[in-house]
Amino acid sequence: MEIKINLDTLRRAEADQLLRALSQCKACQTLEYVDIFAGDPAVEERSGNSFAPMRQFLCFRQLRTLQLVFPHCCSNLDNDLLFEAMSSWPHIRSLELMDPHLCSPAVPFRGFFAALRLCPHLQILRMYVDATHIDIDPTAELFQHTSLQTLDLDSHKVADAETVARIILSMLPCVDQVNQVYAGGDCREEWQEVNRHLKSFKPSPVLGRQIIRAAPQS
């Protein structure tokens, strides 16, 4: 079962009502695809302390694709909620959370990778992370997520582009580059620097072929 909603605008109260209605429908065991897109309302709104859109999707345990692109869709998203969500969606393959009003992401890398451990089939991920505080050591982590191939991230600031690149290289071996959730954002140059480090760290295909040809025959 699929649900796709495209609206010109979506006010916070309307979004709350819509998501509550979805969570109470009879499709909890069959819904696999959700795509909700909406533009900004004419009047700026605050998200509210209790508004947490992702919580309304926790009952859909068969989700393969979840795309939320509307104002305040990431409200109150933190380590605990992301972990709970990923544990509720063991089959998720594509997750996109794009909130134009999110100023300070509350999910650092440690919470980000803790949640990734719960969704081994995830192939596409677009979301915000807190890259201003590096709370993980790539040399001390043994975990690797080998299914994720497309990674779009954004952050208020990238504190250390080289360390972020090493984290991605060691834990996400199938990710060749990081795209920005919103291209042209404030951190565009910083994420480009992350990608330059990623490119420099990865061995070139030509060098790899040379090493294989030079290997002694048994």
Side-chain angles (χ1 to χ4, degrees):
M1 181 177 176
E2 299 183 3
I3 292 178
K4 188 169 185 177
I5 300 172
N6 194 320
L7 302 171
D8 291 334
T9 62
L10 186 64
R11 298 177 64 86
R12 192 204 65 79
E14 296 169 338
D16 194 19
Q17 184 177 10
L18 171 64
L19 298 180
R20 288 182 185 277
L22 285 177
S23 67
Q24 295 170 8
C25 74
K26 297 181 180 180
C28 286
Q29 301 303 319
T30 58
L31 188 62
E32 296 185 359
Y33 180 100
V34 175
D35 181 359
I36 301 177
F37 174 89
D40 278 327
V43 179
E44 179 68 21
E45 296 181 304
R46 293 186 178 182
S47 62
N49 293 332
S50 62
F51 187 57
M54 276 187 60
R55 191 167 295 282
Q56 305 299 331
F57 294 94
L58 299 182
C59 65
F60 301 116
R61 298 190 60 83
Q62 298 301 318
L63 272 180
R64 267 66 170 175
T65 297
L66 177 62
Q67 298 173 184
L68 302 182
V69 185
F70 60 86
H72 307 297
C73 67
C74 293
S75 293
N76 296 306
L77 177 60
D78 57 12
N79 286 343
D80 292 338
L81 180 53
L82 183 63
F83 191 89
E84 184 179 3
M86 291 303 199
S87 64
S88 299
W89 307 326
H91 309 292
I92 195 79
R93 285 169 169 77
S94 177
L95 177 62
E96 301 184 32
L97 306 171
M98 299 175 61
D99 181 351
H101 293 282
L102 187 66
C103 298
S104 300
V107 178
F109 281 111
R110 183 165 297 281
F112 175 81
F113 282 105
L116 276 186
R117 294 172 186 267
L118 302 173
C119 48
H121 306 295
L122 191 66
Q123 300 173 359
I124 299 171
L125 179 59
R126 306 184 73 187
M127 64 173 290
Y128 299 84
V129 295
D130 178 4
T132 60
H133 304 94
I134 308 299
D135 60 349
I136 197 169
D137 180 1
T139 64
E141 297 290 335
L142 299 178
F143 167 73
Q144 283 193 328
H145 194 293
T146 56
S147 295
L148 191 68
Q149 299 178 15
T150 301
L151 180 63
D152 295 5
L153 297 177
D154 222 330
S155 175
H156 179 65
K157 182 177 176 59
V158 179
D160 186 334
E162 181 177 350
T163 300
V164 170
R166 291 189 183 280
I167 290 171
I168 294 169
L169 179 69
S170 65
M171 303 179 75
L172 303 173
C174 295
V175 172
D176 293 323
Q177 68 174 13
V178 181
N179 305 306
Q180 265 192 286
V181 171
Y182 285 103
D186 294 338
C187 291
R188 181 178 182 182
E189 177 57 33
E190 295 175 8
W191 285 110
Q192 288 177 344
E193 185 179 354
V194 171
N195 286 329
R196 285 194 289 270
H197 284 298
L198 271 176
K199 185 176 180 180
S200 69
F201 294 155
K202 284 182 177 286
S204 69
V206 173
L207 178 60
R209 288 195 293 270
Q210 290 173 346
I211 292 174
I212 291 174
R213 286 197 296 268
Q217 298 293 324
S218 57

